[in-house]
Amino acid sequence: MDFTEKRLEGEYKYKGLIVNVRMDKAELFNGHVVKREVVEHPGGVTILPVDSEGNCYMVEQFRYPMGKMMLEAPAGKLELGEEPLLSAERELSEETGFTAEKMVYMGRYCTSPGISTEVLHIYLALGLKAGKTHPDEDEYLNIKKMPLSQLADMVMSGEIDDGKTAVAILKAEKYLKNQSK
Protein backbone atom coordinates (compact mmCIF):
# COMPACT_ATOMS: atom_id res chain seq x y z
CA MET A 1 0.00 0.00 0.00
CA ASP A 2 1.24 3.50 -0.86
CA PHE A 3 1.17 5.95 2.06
CA THR A 4 2.35 9.02 0.12
CA GLU A 5 1.47 12.30 1.78
CA LYS A 6 0.49 15.33 -0.31
CA ARG A 7 1.80 18.75 0.71
CA LEU A 8 -1.10 21.19 0.80
CA GLU A 9 0.60 24.35 2.06
CA GLY A 10 3.59 25.50 4.01
CA GLU A 11 4.88 28.49 5.91
CA TYR A 12 8.51 29.32 6.67
CA LYS A 13 9.04 29.78 10.40
CA TYR A 14 12.80 30.38 10.16
CA LYS A 15 15.33 31.10 7.42
CA GLY A 16 18.92 30.66 8.54
CA LEU A 17 22.50 30.54 7.30
CA ILE A 18 22.40 26.80 6.64
CA VAL A 19 18.86 25.58 7.25
CA ASN A 20 15.31 26.80 6.79
CA VAL A 21 12.41 25.52 8.87
CA ARG A 22 8.87 25.36 7.62
CA MET A 23 5.53 24.12 8.94
CA ASP A 24 3.52 22.27 6.32
CA LYS A 25 0.01 20.93 6.16
CA ALA A 26 -0.11 17.56 4.44
CA GLU A 27 -2.92 15.26 3.43
CA LEU A 28 -2.51 11.61 4.38
CA PHE A 29 -3.53 8.77 2.08
CA ASN A 30 -6.78 8.45 4.07
CA GLY A 31 -7.73 12.13 3.68
CA HIS A 32 -6.71 13.33 7.15
CA VAL A 33 -4.73 16.58 7.27
CA VAL A 34 -1.67 16.73 9.54
CA LYS A 35 1.12 19.20 10.35
CA ARG A 36 4.69 18.39 9.34
CA GLU A 37 7.79 20.29 10.45
CA VAL A 38 10.50 20.26 7.78
CA VAL A 39 14.11 21.34 8.13
CA GLU A 40 15.43 22.20 4.67
CA HIS A 41 19.16 21.53 4.31
CA PRO A 42 21.31 21.80 1.16
CA GLY A 43 22.91 18.39 1.76
CA GLY A 44 26.54 17.56 1.98
CA VAL A 45 29.36 15.08 1.67
CA THR A 46 31.30 12.78 3.96
CA ILE A 47 34.72 11.49 2.95
CA LEU A 48 36.68 8.67 4.53
CA PRO A 49 40.35 9.01 3.50
CA VAL A 50 42.13 5.64 3.77
CA ASP A 51 45.82 5.16 3.02
CA SER A 52 47.49 2.05 1.55
CA GLU A 53 48.15 0.67 5.05
CA GLY A 54 44.48 0.84 6.12
CA ASN A 55 44.79 4.01 8.19
CA CYS A 56 42.05 6.63 8.11
CA TYR A 57 42.47 10.34 8.61
CA MET A 58 39.73 11.63 10.87
CA VAL A 59 38.96 15.08 12.18
CA GLU A 60 38.24 15.90 15.79
CA GLN A 61 36.29 19.08 16.39
CA PHE A 62 34.00 20.72 18.90
CA ARG A 63 30.35 20.38 17.92
CA TYR A 64 28.37 23.17 19.54
CA PRO A 65 24.92 21.51 19.45
CA MET A 66 26.32 18.38 21.14
CA GLY A 67 28.54 20.36 23.53
CA LYS A 68 31.58 18.14 23.04
CA MET A 69 34.57 17.25 20.91
CA MET A 70 33.67 14.62 18.31
CA LEU A 71 35.73 12.30 16.13
CA GLU A 72 34.35 12.41 12.59
CA ALA A 73 35.11 11.66 8.99
CA PRO A 74 35.87 14.87 7.07
CA ALA A 75 32.62 16.38 5.80
CA GLY A 76 30.93 19.53 4.65
CA LYS A 77 27.83 21.00 3.11
CA LEU A 78 27.17 21.37 -0.57
CA GLU A 79 27.42 24.87 -1.96
CA LEU A 80 24.51 26.01 -4.14
CA GLY A 81 24.58 24.02 -7.39
CA GLU A 82 27.78 22.15 -6.45
CA GLU A 83 28.23 18.55 -7.58
CA PRO A 84 28.83 16.15 -4.66
CA LEU A 85 32.15 14.83 -6.06
CA LEU A 86 33.57 18.36 -6.39
CA SER A 87 32.39 19.15 -2.87
CA ALA A 88 34.03 15.96 -1.55
CA GLU A 89 37.34 16.82 -3.22
CA ARG A 90 37.17 20.37 -1.85
CA GLU A 91 36.31 19.29 1.70
CA LEU A 92 38.99 16.57 1.72
CA SER A 93 41.62 19.13 0.75
CA GLU A 94 40.37 21.83 3.14
CA GLU A 95 40.13 19.61 6.21
CA THR A 96 43.01 17.13 5.72
CA GLY A 97 45.22 18.60 3.01
CA PHE A 98 44.89 15.39 0.99
CA THR A 99 43.99 14.88 -2.62
CA ALA A 100 42.94 11.42 -3.77
CA GLU A 101 43.78 9.46 -6.91
CA LYS A 102 40.45 7.68 -6.58
CA MET A 103 37.15 8.75 -5.04
CA VAL A 104 34.74 5.82 -4.66
CA TYR A 105 31.10 6.78 -4.33
CA MET A 106 29.62 4.78 -1.44
CA GLY A 107 26.02 6.00 -1.73
CA ARG A 108 23.62 8.41 -0.08
CA TYR A 109 22.72 8.75 3.58
CA CYS A 110 19.51 10.44 4.73
CA THR A 111 20.49 11.92 8.09
CA SER A 112 17.06 12.32 9.70
CA PRO A 113 14.30 11.65 7.14
CA GLY A 114 11.48 12.17 9.62
CA ILE A 115 12.26 15.88 9.87
CA SER A 116 15.07 16.94 7.50
CA THR A 117 15.75 17.02 3.75
CA GLU A 118 19.51 16.61 4.41
CA VAL A 119 21.15 13.97 2.22
CA LEU A 120 24.86 13.24 2.54
CA HIS A 121 26.91 11.66 -0.25
CA ILE A 122 29.58 9.31 1.09
CA TYR A 123 32.97 8.89 -0.57
CA LEU A 124 35.97 6.68 0.10
CA ALA A 125 39.20 8.51 -0.78
CA LEU A 126 42.08 6.25 -1.90
CA GLY A 127 45.56 6.90 -3.28
CA LEU A 128 46.13 9.81 -0.93
CA LYS A 129 48.63 12.56 -1.67
CA ALA A 130 49.53 14.86 1.21
CA GLY A 131 49.17 18.62 1.02
CA LYS A 132 48.42 21.56 3.29
CA THR A 133 45.11 21.95 5.11
CA HIS A 134 43.09 25.12 4.62
CA PRO A 135 39.97 24.90 6.80
CA ASP A 136 37.29 27.57 6.90
CA GLU A 137 38.26 30.54 9.09
CA ASP A 138 35.91 29.46 11.90
CA GLU A 139 36.82 25.76 11.69
CA TYR A 140 39.31 24.29 14.16
CA LEU A 141 40.27 20.65 13.62
CA ASN A 142 42.67 18.07 14.99
CA ILE A 143 43.60 15.42 12.44
CA LYS A 144 43.82 11.88 13.83
CA LYS A 145 45.38 8.95 11.97
CA MET A 146 43.70 5.70 13.03
CA PRO A 147 43.37 2.16 11.65
CA LEU A 148 40.06 1.45 9.92
CA SER A 149 39.62 -1.72 12.01
CA GLN A 150 39.91 0.30 15.24
CA LEU A 151 37.39 2.85 13.97
CA ALA A 152 34.92 0.07 13.09
CA ASP A 153 35.28 -1.27 16.64
CA MET A 154 34.66 2.23 18.00
CA VAL A 155 31.45 2.47 15.92
CA MET A 156 30.22 -0.88 17.21
CA SER A 157 30.99 0.03 20.85
CA GLY A 158 29.22 3.39 20.54
CA GLU A 159 32.39 5.39 21.10
CA ILE A 160 31.85 6.96 17.66
CA ASP A 161 28.26 8.14 17.66
CA ASP A 162 28.22 10.50 14.68
CA GLY A 163 25.88 8.93 12.13
CA LYS A 164 27.63 9.99 8.93
CA THR A 165 30.97 8.82 10.28
CA ALA A 166 29.59 5.45 11.40
CA VAL A 167 27.99 4.82 8.01
CA ALA A 168 31.15 5.86 6.13
CA ILE A 169 33.40 3.63 8.27
CA LEU A 170 31.21 0.54 8.01
CA LYS A 171 30.64 0.96 4.27
CA ALA A 172 34.35 1.51 3.63
CA GLU A 173 35.33 -1.50 5.74
CA LYS A 174 32.94 -3.76 3.79
CA TYR A 175 34.00 -2.31 0.42
CA LEU A 176 37.73 -2.74 1.13
CA LYS A 177 37.22 -6.32 2.40
CA ASN A 178 35.36 -7.17 -0.81
CA GLN A 179 38.13 -5.59 -2.93
CA SER A 180 40.82 -7.69 -1.24
CA LYS A 181 39.09 -11.01 -2.08
Side-chain angles (χ1 to χ4, degrees):
M1 184 170 210
D2 184 358
F3 299 114
T4 300
E5 299 177 13
K6 179 182 171 191
R7 182 174 184 241
L8 301 175
E9 61 185 64
E11 177 186 353
Y12 283 98
K13 299 293 185 179
Y14 173 79
K15 289 193 175 193
L17 299 173
I18 298 173
V19 299
N20 298 325
V21 180
R22 64 174 207 262
M23 179 67 76
D24 287 355
K25 285 188 180 174
E27 182 179 359
L28 302 179
F29 73 101
N30 62 5
H32 290 106
V33 175
V34 295
K35 290 184 178 179
R36 296 286 189 237
E37 293 174 316
V38 179
V39 177
E40 297 176 341
H41 188 284
V45 294
T46 301
I47 312 99
L48 191 67
V50 181
D51 67 19
S52 60
E53 295 164 5
N55 294 306
C56 300
Y57 295 83
M58 308 295 286
V59 295
E60 183 184 51
Q61 60 187 320
F62 184 80
R63 289 300 196 174
Y64 183 81
M66 302 308 295
K68 67 178 184 175
M69 294 289 287
M70 295 185 72
L71 185 66
E72 303 175 31
K77 72 176 184 63
L78 292 168
E79 299 299 331
L80 186 64
E82 186 178 32
E83 290 296 320
L85 177 59
L86 295 177
S87 178
E89 291 169 339
R90 175 179 50 77
E91 290 292 342
L92 177 65
S93 175
E94 285 178 7
E95 294 189 5
T96 67
F98 286 117
T99 56
E101 288 177 9
K102 184 176 181 182
M103 294 287 272
V104 180
Y105 185 65
M106 305 294 289
R108 297 164 33 109
Y109 168 62
C110 299
T111 62
S112 188
I115 194 165
S116 175
T117 63
E118 182 180 24
V119 172
L120 296 179
H121 300 271
I122 302 168
Y123 289 89
L124 172 62
L126 302 170
L128 303 177
K129 292 189 176 22
K132 188 170 172 22
T133 64
H134 46 101
D136 294 336
E137 75 177 36
D138 63 347
E139 192 171 42
Y140 301 96
L141 309 168
N142 296 317
I143 298 174
K144 305 274 187 178
K145 178 181 172 181
M146 302 175 74
L148 178 57
S149 59
Q150 179 184 357
L151 292 169
D153 289 343
M154 292 170 74
V155 168
M156 297 310 293
S157 72
E159 192 174 345
I160 291 178
D161 57 0
D162 173 58
K164 70 184 178 308
T165 298
V167 171
I169 288 168
L170 297 178
K171 282 183 171 245
E173 183 182 49
K174 178 109 177 167
Y175 174 85
L176 292 170
K177 279 184 183 173
N178 288 340
Q179 293 300 304
S180 67
K181 290 181 182 178

PDB file of all heavy atoms in Angstrom, residues 125-152:
ATOM      1  N   ALA A 125      38.073   7.886  -0.081  1.00  0.00           N
ATOM      2  CA  ALA A 125      39.203   8.511  -0.778  1.00  0.00           C
ATOM      3  C   ALA A 125      40.411   7.579  -0.676  1.00  0.00           C
ATOM      4  O   ALA A 125      40.850   7.227   0.417  1.00  0.00           O
ATOM      5  CB  ALA A 125      39.521   9.871  -0.167  1.00  0.00           C
ATOM      6  N   LEU A 126      40.944   7.181  -1.836  1.00  0.00           N
ATOM      7  CA  LEU A 126      42.080   6.254  -1.901  1.00  0.00           C
ATOM      8  C   LEU A 126      43.204   6.870  -2.724  1.00  0.00           C
ATOM      9  O   LEU A 126      42.975   7.776  -3.527  1.00  0.00           O
ATOM     10  CB  LEU A 126      41.642   4.930  -2.531  1.00  0.00           C
ATOM     11  CG  LEU A 126      40.500   4.189  -1.824  1.00  0.00           C
ATOM     12  CD1 LEU A 126      40.001   3.034  -2.682  1.00  0.00           C
ATOM     13  CD2 LEU A 126      40.938   3.713  -0.459  1.00  0.00           C
ATOM     14  N   GLY A 127      44.421   6.346  -2.560  1.00  0.00           N
ATOM     15  CA  GLY A 127      45.564   6.896  -3.281  1.00  0.00           C
ATOM     16  C   GLY A 127      45.846   8.310  -2.818  1.00  0.00           C
ATOM     17  O   GLY A 127      45.924   9.238  -3.625  1.00  0.00           O
ATOM     18  N   LEU A 128      46.004   8.470  -1.515  1.00  0.00           N
ATOM     19  CA  LEU A 128      46.130   9.810  -0.926  1.00  0.00           C
ATOM     20  C   LEU A 128      47.485  10.449  -1.209  1.00  0.00           C
ATOM     21  O   LEU A 128      48.513   9.792  -1.146  1.00  0.00           O
ATOM     22  CB  LEU A 128      45.922   9.722   0.587  1.00  0.00           C
ATOM     23  CG  LEU A 128      44.595   9.116   1.046  1.00  0.00           C
ATOM     24  CD1 LEU A 128      44.558   9.025   2.568  1.00  0.00           C
ATOM     25  CD2 LEU A 128      43.410   9.917   0.524  1.00  0.00           C
ATOM     26  N   LYS A 129      47.428  11.735  -1.496  1.00  0.00           N
ATOM     27  CA  LYS A 129      48.626  12.558  -1.666  1.00  0.00           C
ATOM     28  C   LYS A 129      48.517  13.716  -0.675  1.00  0.00           C
ATOM     29  O   LYS A 129      47.535  14.449  -0.687  1.00  0.00           O
ATOM     30  CB  LYS A 129      48.728  13.076  -3.089  1.00  0.00           C
ATOM     31  CG  LYS A 129      49.012  11.981  -4.115  1.00  0.00           C
ATOM     32  CD  LYS A 129      49.317  12.606  -5.463  1.00  0.00           C
ATOM     33  CE  LYS A 129      49.699  11.636  -6.536  1.00  0.00           C
ATOM     34  NZ  LYS A 129      49.331  10.284  -6.439  1.00  0.00           N
ATOM     35  N   ALA A 130      49.554  13.852   0.156  1.00  0.00           N
ATOM     36  CA  ALA A 130      49.535  14.864   1.214  1.00  0.00           C
ATOM     37  C   ALA A 130      49.681  16.270   0.656  1.00  0.00           C
ATOM     38  O   ALA A 130      50.328  16.490  -0.365  1.00  0.00           O
ATOM     39  CB  ALA A 130      50.646  14.582   2.225  1.00  0.00           C
ATOM     40  N   GLY A 131      49.085  17.201   1.348  1.00  0.00           N
ATOM     41  CA  GLY A 131      49.174  18.618   1.020  1.00  0.00           C
ATOM     42  C   GLY A 131      48.943  19.411   2.290  1.00  0.00           C
ATOM     43  O   GLY A 131      49.021  18.877   3.395  1.00  0.00           O
ATOM     44  N   LYS A 132      48.620  20.673   2.136  1.00  0.00           N
ATOM     45  CA  LYS A 132      48.419  21.559   3.288  1.00  0.00           C
ATOM     46  C   LYS A 132      46.929  21.774   3.512  1.00  0.00           C
ATOM     47  O   LYS A 132      46.175  22.021   2.572  1.00  0.00           O
ATOM     48  CB  LYS A 132      49.117  22.893   3.000  1.00  0.00           C
ATOM     49  CG  LYS A 132      49.146  23.844   4.175  1.00  0.00           C
ATOM     50  CD  LYS A 132      50.063  25.017   3.868  1.00  0.00           C
ATOM     51  CE  LYS A 132      50.071  26.134   4.849  1.00  0.00           C
ATOM     52  NZ  LYS A 132      49.664  25.945   6.190  1.00  0.00           N
ATOM     53  N   THR A 133      46.519  21.689   4.777  1.00  0.00           N
ATOM     54  CA  THR A 133      45.114  21.949   5.109  1.00  0.00           C
ATOM     55  C   THR A 133      44.805  23.431   4.945  1.00  0.00           C
ATOM     56  O   THR A 133      45.689  24.277   5.047  1.00  0.00           O
ATOM     57  CB  THR A 133      44.781  21.524   6.563  1.00  0.00           C
ATOM     58  OG1 THR A 133      45.536  22.331   7.455  1.00  0.00           O
ATOM     59  CG2 THR A 133      45.064  20.056   6.799  1.00  0.00           C
ATOM     60  N   HIS A 134      43.553  23.732   4.702  1.00  0.00           N
ATOM     61  CA  HIS A 134      43.093  25.122   4.625  1.00  0.00           C
ATOM     62  C   HIS A 134      41.620  25.171   5.025  1.00  0.00           C
ATOM     63  O   HIS A 134      40.747  25.454   4.208  1.00  0.00           O
ATOM     64  CB  HIS A 134      43.348  25.737   3.239  1.00  0.00           C
ATOM     65  CG  HIS A 134      42.950  24.842   2.104  1.00  0.00           C
ATOM     66  ND1 HIS A 134      41.791  24.996   1.405  1.00  0.00           N
ATOM     67  CD2 HIS A 134      43.562  23.771   1.561  1.00  0.00           C
ATOM     68  CE1 HIS A 134      41.689  24.067   0.471  1.00  0.00           C
ATOM     69  NE2 HIS A 134      42.744  23.303   0.551  1.00  0.00           N
ATOM     70  N   PRO A 135      41.358  24.909   6.332  1.00  0.00           N
ATOM     71  CA  PRO A 135      39.970  24.900   6.800  1.00  0.00           C
ATOM     72  C   PRO A 135      39.334  26.283   6.733  1.00  0.00           C
ATOM     73  O   PRO A 135      40.026  27.295   6.602  1.00  0.00           O
ATOM     74  CB  PRO A 135      40.086  24.415   8.254  1.00  0.00           C
ATOM     75  CG  PRO A 135      41.494  24.717   8.645  1.00  0.00           C
ATOM     76  CD  PRO A 135      42.317  24.671   7.392  1.00  0.00           C
ATOM     77  N   ASP A 136      38.008  26.295   6.838  1.00  0.00           N
ATOM     78  CA  ASP A 136      37.285  27.567   6.904  1.00  0.00           C
ATOM     79  C   ASP A 136      37.802  28.359   8.098  1.00  0.00           C
ATOM     80  O   ASP A 136      38.301  27.787   9.065  1.00  0.00           O
ATOM     81  CB  ASP A 136      35.782  27.319   7.064  1.00  0.00           C
ATOM     82  CG  ASP A 136      35.168  26.648   5.838  1.00  0.00           C
ATOM     83  OD1 ASP A 136      35.742  26.777   4.734  1.00  0.00           O
ATOM     84  OD2 ASP A 136      34.115  26.001   5.996  1.00  0.00           O
ATOM     85  N   GLU A 137      37.665  29.683   8.050  1.00  0.00           N
ATOM     86  CA  GLU A 137      38.260  30.542   9.087  1.00  0.00           C
ATOM     87  C   GLU A 137      37.694  30.301  10.486  1.00  0.00           C
ATOM     88  O   GLU A 137      38.353  30.584  11.475  1.00  0.00           O
ATOM     89  CB  GLU A 137      38.179  32.014   8.707  1.00  0.00           C
ATOM     90  CG  GLU A 137      36.816  32.647   8.834  1.00  0.00           C
ATOM     91  CD  GLU A 137      36.836  34.137   8.500  1.00  0.00           C
ATOM     92  OE1 GLU A 137      37.580  34.554   7.606  1.00  0.00           O
ATOM     93  OE2 GLU A 137      36.090  34.874   9.164  1.00  0.00           O
ATOM     94  N   ASP A 138      36.491  29.744  10.584  1.00  0.00           N
ATOM     95  CA  ASP A 138      35.906  29.461  11.900  1.00  0.00           C
ATOM     96  C   ASP A 138      35.902  27.963  12.221  1.00  0.00           C
ATOM     97  O   ASP A 138      35.177  27.503  13.093  1.00  0.00           O
ATOM     98  CB  ASP A 138      34.484  30.027  11.992  1.00  0.00           C
ATOM     99  CG  ASP A 138      33.529  29.383  10.998  1.00  0.00           C
ATOM    100  OD1 ASP A 138      33.994  28.681  10.068  1.00  0.00           O
ATOM    101  OD2 ASP A 138      32.313  29.571  11.141  1.00  0.00           O
ATOM    102  N   GLU A 139      36.761  27.218  11.538  1.00  0.00           N
ATOM    103  CA  GLU A 139      36.816  25.762  11.687  1.00  0.00           C
ATOM    104  C   GLU A 139      38.160  25.375  12.304  1.00  0.00           C
ATOM    105  O   GLU A 139      39.210  25.673  11.744  1.00  0.00           O
ATOM    106  CB  GLU A 139      36.656  25.141  10.287  1.00  0.00           C
ATOM    107  CG  GLU A 139      36.410  23.679  10.247  1.00  0.00           C
ATOM    108  CD  GLU A 139      36.046  23.224   8.840  1.00  0.00           C
ATOM    109  OE1 GLU A 139      36.670  23.672   7.857  1.00  0.00           O
ATOM    110  OE2 GLU A 139      35.137  22.399   8.730  1.00  0.00           O
ATOM    111  N   TYR A 140      38.096  24.704  13.447  1.00  0.00           N
ATOM    112  CA  TYR A 140      39.307  24.288  14.157  1.00  0.00           C
ATOM    113  C   TYR A 140      39.275  22.776  14.298  1.00  0.00           C
ATOM    114  O   TYR A 140      38.354  22.223  14.912  1.00  0.00           O
ATOM    115  CB  TYR A 140      39.387  24.974  15.529  1.00  0.00           C
ATOM    116  CG  TYR A 140      39.384  26.479  15.379  1.00  0.00           C
ATOM    117  CD1 TYR A 140      38.210  27.209  15.487  1.00  0.00           C
ATOM    118  CD2 TYR A 140      40.556  27.161  15.078  1.00  0.00           C
ATOM    119  CE1 TYR A 140      38.197  28.582  15.315  1.00  0.00           C
ATOM    120  CE2 TYR A 140      40.561  28.537  14.914  1.00  0.00           C
ATOM    121  CZ  TYR A 140      39.378  29.239  15.031  1.00  0.00           C
ATOM    122  OH  TYR A 140      39.373  30.596  14.859  1.00  0.00           O
ATOM    123  N   LEU A 141      40.272  22.111  13.713  1.00  0.00           N
ATOM    124  CA  LEU A 141      40.269  20.652  13.618  1.00  0.00           C
ATOM    125  C   LEU A 141      41.591  20.062  14.087  1.00  0.00           C
ATOM    126  O   LEU A 141      42.657  20.606  13.812  1.00  0.00           O
ATOM    127  CB  LEU A 141      40.084  20.222  12.155  1.00  0.00           C
ATOM    128  CG  LEU A 141      38.929  20.815  11.364  1.00  0.00           C
ATOM    129  CD1 LEU A 141      39.084  20.509   9.886  1.00  0.00           C
ATOM    130  CD2 LEU A 141      37.614  20.272  11.877  1.00  0.00           C
ATOM    131  N   ASN A 142      41.503  18.915  14.746  1.00  0.00           N
ATOM    132  CA  ASN A 142      42.667  18.067  14.989  1.00  0.00           C
ATOM    133  C   ASN A 142      42.545  16.896  14.030  1.00  0.00           C
ATOM    134  O   ASN A 142      41.471  16.301  13.917  1.00  0.00           O
ATOM    135  CB  ASN A 142      42.657  17.512  16.426  1.00  0.00           C
ATOM    136  CG  ASN A 142      42.775  18.601  17.465  1.00  0.00           C
ATOM    137  OD1 ASN A 142      43.565  19.519  17.319  1.00  0.00           O
ATOM    138  ND2 ASN A 142      41.989  18.502  18.524  1.00  0.00           N
ATOM    139  N   ILE A 143      43.624  16.572  13.338  1.00  0.00           N
ATOM    140  CA  ILE A 143      43.603  15.415  12.440  1.00  0.00           C
ATOM    141  C   ILE A 143      44.166  14.220  13.198  1.00  0.00           C
ATOM    142  O   ILE A 143      45.220  14.312  13.819  1.00  0.00           O
ATOM    143  CB  ILE A 143      44.404  15.692  11.160  1.00  0.00           C
ATOM    144  CG1 ILE A 143      43.763  16.858  10.383  1.00  0.00           C
ATOM    145  CG2 ILE A 143      44.478  14.438  10.287  1.00  0.00           C
ATOM    146  CD1 ILE A 143      44.529  17.318   9.184  1.00  0.00           C
ATOM    147  N   LYS A 144      43.432  13.107  13.136  1.00  0.00           N
ATOM    148  CA  LYS A 144      43.819  11.876  13.833  1.00  0.00           C
ATOM    149  C   LYS A 144      43.975  10.752  12.817  1.00  0.00           C
ATOM    150  O   LYS A 144      43.045  10.490  12.047  1.00  0.00           O
ATOM    151  CB  LYS A 144      42.745  11.467  14.853  1.00  0.00           C
ATOM    152  CG  LYS A 144      42.397  12.535  15.866  1.00  0.00           C
ATOM    153  CD  LYS A 144      43.328  12.486  17.019  1.00  0.00           C
ATOM    154  CE  LYS A 144      42.874  13.441  18.114  1.00  0.00           C
ATOM    155  NZ  LYS A 144      43.693  13.403  19.263  1.00  0.00           N
ATOM    156  N   LYS A 145      45.129  10.110  12.832  1.00  0.00           N
ATOM    157  CA  LYS A 145      45.382   8.952  11.967  1.00  0.00           C
ATOM    158  C   LYS A 145      45.089   7.690  12.780  1.00  0.00           C
ATOM    159  O   LYS A 145      45.694   7.471  13.832  1.00  0.00           O
ATOM    160  CB  LYS A 145      46.841   8.969  11.513  1.00  0.00           C
ATOM    161  CG  LYS A 145      47.251   7.801  10.659  1.00  0.00           C
ATOM    162  CD  LYS A 145      48.720   7.932  10.293  1.00  0.00           C
ATOM    163  CE  LYS A 145      49.248   6.709   9.606  1.00  0.00           C
ATOM    164  NZ  LYS A 145      50.690   6.848   9.289  1.00  0.00           N
ATOM    165  N   MET A 146      44.130   6.882  12.282  1.00  0.00           N
ATOM    166  CA  MET A 146      43.705   5.697  13.027  1.00  0.00           C
ATOM    167  C   MET A 146      43.404   4.552  12.072  1.00  0.00           C
ATOM    168  O   MET A 146      42.879   4.779  10.978  1.00  0.00           O
ATOM    169  CB  MET A 146      42.451   6.016  13.850  1.00  0.00           C
ATOM    170  CG  MET A 146      42.647   7.174  14.828  1.00  0.00           C
ATOM    171  SD  MET A 146      41.126   7.611  15.673  1.00  0.00           S
ATOM    172  CE  MET A 146      41.012   6.242  16.811  1.00  0.00           C
ATOM    173  N   PRO A 147      43.699   3.308  12.493  1.00  0.00           N
ATOM    174  CA  PRO A 147      43.375   2.156  11.646  1.00  0.00           C
ATOM    175  C   PRO A 147      41.864   2.004  11.447  1.00  0.00           C
ATOM    176  O   PRO A 147      41.085   2.204  12.389  1.00  0.00           O
ATOM    177  CB  PRO A 147      43.927   0.955  12.429  1.00  0.00           C
ATOM    178  CG  PRO A 147      44.856   1.521  13.442  1.00  0.00           C
ATOM    179  CD  PRO A 147      44.389   2.920  13.722  1.00  0.00           C
ATOM    180  N   LEU A 148      41.470   1.652  10.235  1.00  0.00           N
ATOM    181  CA  LEU A 148      40.056   1.455   9.919  1.00  0.00           C
ATOM    182  C   LEU A 148      39.441   0.416  10.846  1.00  0.00           C
ATOM    183  O   LEU A 148      38.312   0.590  11.316  1.00  0.00           O
ATOM    184  CB  LEU A 148      39.891   1.037   8.451  1.00  0.00           C
ATOM    185  CG  LEU A 148      38.466   0.756   7.979  1.00  0.00           C
ATOM    186  CD1 LEU A 148      37.551   1.946   8.198  1.00  0.00           C
ATOM    187  CD2 LEU A 148      38.479   0.347   6.512  1.00  0.00           C
ATOM    188  N   SER A 149      40.160  -0.663  11.134  1.00  0.00           N
ATOM    189  CA  SER A 149      39.617  -1.717  12.010  1.00  0.00           C
ATOM    190  C   SER A 149      39.306  -1.167  13.408  1.00  0.00           C
ATOM    191  O   SER A 149      38.283  -1.522  14.003  1.00  0.00           O
ATOM    192  CB  SER A 149      40.586  -2.895  12.098  1.00  0.00           C
ATOM    193  OG  SER A 149      41.840  -2.468  12.606  1.00  0.00           O
ATOM    194  N   GLN A 150      40.154  -0.296  13.925  1.00  0.00           N
ATOM    195  CA  GLN A 150      39.909   0.305  15.235  1.00  0.00           C
ATOM    196  C   GLN A 150      38.681   1.212  15.189  1.00  0.00           C
ATOM    197  O   GLN A 150      37.859   1.211  16.112  1.00  0.00           O
ATOM    198  CB  GLN A 150      41.129   1.107  15.695  1.00  0.00           C
ATOM    199  CG  GLN A 150      40.939   1.778  17.045  1.00  0.00           C
ATOM    200  CD  GLN A 150      42.122   2.659  17.453  1.00  0.00           C
ATOM    201  OE1 GLN A 150      43.132   2.742  16.758  1.00  0.00           O
ATOM    202  NE2 GLN A 150      41.982   3.319  18.587  1.00  0.00           N
ATOM    203  N   LEU A 151      38.548   1.970  14.115  1.00  0.00           N
ATOM    204  CA  LEU A 151      37.388   2.852  13.973  1.00  0.00           C
ATOM    205  C   LEU A 151      36.090   2.051  13.893  1.00  0.00           C
ATOM    206  O   LEU A 151      35.087   2.426  14.495  1.00  0.00           O
ATOM    207  CB  LEU A 151      37.542   3.743  12.745  1.00  0.00           C
ATOM    208  CG  LEU A 151      38.650   4.785  12.839  1.00  0.00           C
ATOM    209  CD1 LEU A 151      38.890   5.433  11.479  1.00  0.00           C
ATOM    210  CD2 LEU A 151      38.332   5.837  13.889  1.00  0.00           C
ATOM    211  N   ALA A 152      36.113   0.922  13.175  1.00  0.00           N
ATOM    212  CA  ALA A 152      34.923   0.072  13.092  1.00  0.00           C
ATOM    213  C   ALA A 152      34.549  -0.453  14.481  1.00  0.00           C
ATOM    214  O   ALA A 152      33.368  -0.487  14.843  1.00  0.00           O
ATOM    215  CB  ALA A 152      35.149  -1.074  12.113  1.00  0.00           C
TER     216      ALA A 152
END
